[in-house]
Amino acid sequence: MIIYHGNNKIIKNPKSGLGKMHNDYGQGFYCTESIELAKEWACDRMRDGYANAYDLDMKDLKVLNLNDENYTVLHWLSVLVQNRTFNGNNDMEIMAKEFLIKNYNVDIDSYDIIKGYRADDSYFRFAEDFLNNTISIQKLEEAMHLGKLGEQIVLKSQKAFERIRFLKERSEYADSSIYYARKRNRDEQARAHYKEIKTDILSGTFIRDIMKDSMM
């Protein structure tokens, strides 16, 4: 598999045990199969960057794909609430987090590779709205596809890092004057579309409904 990591510098030898602890799936090396998306991610804060390319040998690696049929958006959320910092601290959100961790927990530490949604900018807000019982699960699933961010691929284990090889010839420079604008445009479109679907606050299944059904 060829994967790309967007960054403001060239990274020839990614190391295990680095990276922020409070990313979507905890500490790891975050990549994508799309070089264009990697360039957008590289140009955060209006600075130029690079789409670092790698060859990843997937043989014998244990992969958790949170977007396959064995998992739902609730499993993805249970991982997110355990790693990311949410601003809200009201009773509804606290109960929703506890419910998700208890009923939809996934042991991500037992995997070498994780595939799943990227909770980027406005997408994190969509998740917060669902936890606060503001939007239904159907609207959350619809919202997660608005910006067409695709999957992110995260290297978690030392074994995974031993299977990655830098591809200088496939790595590309990312001009922030082009790719930061694309990143902002993608986010603005997602927010605008989300505002439209959020107006329907009556139909669908909300987190409160899911929690009630589990108690019956």
Side-chain angles (χ1 to χ4, degrees), residues 17-201:
L18 301 178
K20 297 177 181 179
M21 296 295 294
H22 297 295
N23 281 329
D24 295 355
Y25 307 117
Q27 198 171 53
F29 192 59
Y30 287 71
C31 301
T32 172
E33 290 184 84
S34 168
I35 190 170
E36 293 299 300
L37 284 178
K39 288 180 179 181
E40 289 185 22
W41 299 348
C43 294
D44 195 21
R45 301 176 184 174
M46 275 298 293
R47 59 186 178 187
D48 296 349
Y50 301 89
N52 294 276
Y54 306 91
D55 178 33
L56 175 62
D57 181 0
M58 299 288 288
K59 184 179 179 181
D60 298 328
L61 292 182
K62 191 175 180 182
V63 180
L64 169 63
N65 185 354
L66 289 169
N67 286 343
D68 74 19
E69 60 184 11
N70 295 317
Y71 300 97
T72 69
V73 70
L74 297 178
H75 292 96
W76 169 74
L77 274 172
S78 74
V79 175
L80 198 68
V81 300
Q82 294 180 74
N83 289 293
R84 293 285 296 270
T85 302
F86 286 74
N87 293 325
N89 198 31
N90 59 63
D91 290 342
M92 184 69 247
E93 184 173 303
I94 292 172
M95 288 189 295
K97 290 177 184 176
E98 293 174 349
F99 171 80
L100 290 171
I101 294 171
K102 179 180 179 181
N103 295 279
Y104 293 91
N105 183 54
V106 182
D107 180 17
I108 64 174
D109 292 330
S110 64
Y111 291 90
D112 303 304
I113 300 286
I114 299 176
K115 293 183 178 181
Y117 292 126
R118 175 181 166 91
D120 185 45
D121 299 335
S122 55
Y123 298 85
F124 187 68
R125 172 63 185 277
F126 304 162
E128 285 188 315
D129 282 349
F130 175 72
L131 293 177
N132 283 294
N133 211 52
T134 305
I135 62 171
S136 67
I137 188 171
Q138 291 84 3
K139 295 301 181 184
L140 174 63
E141 291 172 338
E142 183 179 346
M144 292 309 299
H145 294 286
L146 289 176
K148 299 180 181 178
L149 289 179
E151 293 180 334
Q152 57 182 350
I153 298 168
V154 187
L155 280 66
K156 293 288 292 183
S157 70
Q158 179 60 41
K159 183 178 180 180
F161 279 88
E162 292 171 355
R163 300 292 186 81
I164 195 171
R165 179 172 60 89
F166 179 66
L167 299 175
K168 180 179 179 180
E169 69 279 5
R170 299 191 64 160
S171 300
E172 295 185 11
Y173 178 75
D175 186 337
S176 63
S177 66
I178 297 173
Y179 287 96
Y180 182 77
R182 290 186 184 181
K183 175 183 172 67
R184 293 299 305 165
N185 183 59
R186 183 190 300 275
D187 185 67
E188 289 169 3
Q189 286 184 353
R191 289 175 186 270
H193 292 159
Y194 180 63
K195 186 178 293 185
E196 294 177 8
I197 68 173
K198 192 178 177 181
T199 57
D200 181 6
I201 61 173

